[in-house]
Amino acid sequence: MRLEVDRERCVGAGMCVLTAPEVFGQDEEDGRVRLLDPEPAEVGDAVQVCPAAAIKAS
């Protein structure tokens, strides 16, 4: 699986970090998503729980 994040769309809710902390982080300055692993084996429900639809998986 390949992930992409749209930091401009991100609202900093942190649901992705709570769901898959090994894949996602939050920027300390603006709270927006940081992608730690663009090709993880598993992300659980992180894509579906993002309230801003800022994560795409292909």
Side-chain angles (χ1 to χ4, degrees):
M1 166 184 320
R2 177 112 177 111
L3 296 176
E4 293 180 35
V5 295
D6 183 344
R7 287 183 42 83
E8 295 301 315
R9 181 174 219 151
C10 178
V11 296
M15 297 306 296
C16 57
V17 179
L18 292 172
T19 305
E22 65 284 350
V23 179
F24 303 99
Q26 276 187 289
D27 190 291
E28 290 183 20
E29 290 184 27
D30 63 12
R32 293 180 184 177
V33 65
R34 287 183 316 140
L35 187 55
L36 304 176
D37 183 358
E39 295 187 16
E42 181 65 38
V43 293
D45 293 331
V47 176
Q48 291 81 16
V49 299
C50 177
I55 305 168
K56 294 193 175 146
S58 58

